[in-house]
Amino acid sequence: MKGSFCFRRGPVAKRMSERAPVAEGCVFCDIASRAPTSTTTLLYSDDKVVAFKDINPSAFRHYLVIPIEHIPTVKSLQRTEDDHQLVNHMVKVGKDLLTRDAPNSAEHRFGFHQPPFNSVDHLHLHCLALPFMPSWRQVKYTPLGPLGGFIEAEKLLERIKPQEEVYS
């Protein structure tokens, strides 16, 4: 499982905790940059994000939307217009894909795992068309309050919403 984590150091990003255009050894950076070693089929791509099926789905439909830029985790996001727009775009892409591929699903869920509960150190939005399969997997996608765990996309958008400038 070692290859699925973004922890190797390289000349592109000194640490996986840093934002960078790409991080050497990051499996999601390989997917986003369409590296020759990546066999992942993309469901969607543009100049900001790519989307693909989760390799270990937890729901009827389970997609991941990732930024092309290497952003380690939700903790790396700031209260900036750029970060807010990026996350908003990721959610829109996920909603469009699930609307297309699972229109009859009873519920859709969108969110991110927060450290230390994230499995890959590259920001990724989980887009789930329920039901969970098997049902016990819903535990992985449940917010744990102050402990972190899973944060729903709308809550994250509230957290990183740029503050209004106050003029005196």
Side-chain angles (χ1 to χ4, degrees), residues 28-88:
F28 282 2
C29 284
D30 288 347
I31 293 168
S33 66
R34 297 163 188 85
T37 54
S38 175
T39 58
T40 303
T41 301
L42 299 182
L43 301 172
Y44 177 88
S45 68
D46 64 24
D47 63 330
K48 298 284 185 201
V49 301
V50 297
F52 51 93
K53 292 180 181 178
D54 191 294
I55 61 167
N56 189 17
S58 294
F60 169 66
R61 291 283 183 275
H62 187 168
Y63 300 150
L64 301 178
V65 179
I66 65 170
I68 292 172
E69 175 190 3
H70 180 81
I71 301 172
T73 71
V74 295
K75 301 283 186 189
S76 306
L77 297 169
Q78 303 295 316
R79 284 183 169 264
T80 65
E81 194 65 36
D82 287 346
D83 283 355
H84 192 266
Q85 286 178 357
L86 174 66
V87 173
N88 203 40

Side-chain angles (χ1 to χ4, degrees), residues 54 56-59 62 132-142:
D54 191 294
N56 189 17
S58 294
H62 187 168
F132 287 103
M133 299 169 81
S135 61
W136 58 265
R137 287 212 179 176
Q138 67 185 323
V139 173
K140 282 179 61 175
Y141 304 94
T142 301

Side-chain angles (χ1 to χ4, degrees), residues 94-143:
K95 285 181 178 180
D96 289 349
L97 288 171
L98 290 184
T99 298
R100 179 191 76 193
D101 297 345
N104 297 324
S105 177
E107 181 183 351
H108 295 166
R109 188 169 299 176
F110 303 91
F112 303 84
H113 286 105
Q114 301 177 91
F117 300 97
N118 56 308
S119 59
V120 178
D121 283 338
H122 186 122
L123 186 69
H124 54 285
L125 171 68
H126 289 270
C127 307
L128 303 140
L130 305 184
F132 287 103
M133 299 169 81
S135 61
W136 58 265
R137 287 212 179 176
Q138 67 185 323
V139 173
K140 282 179 61 175
Y141 304 94
T142 301

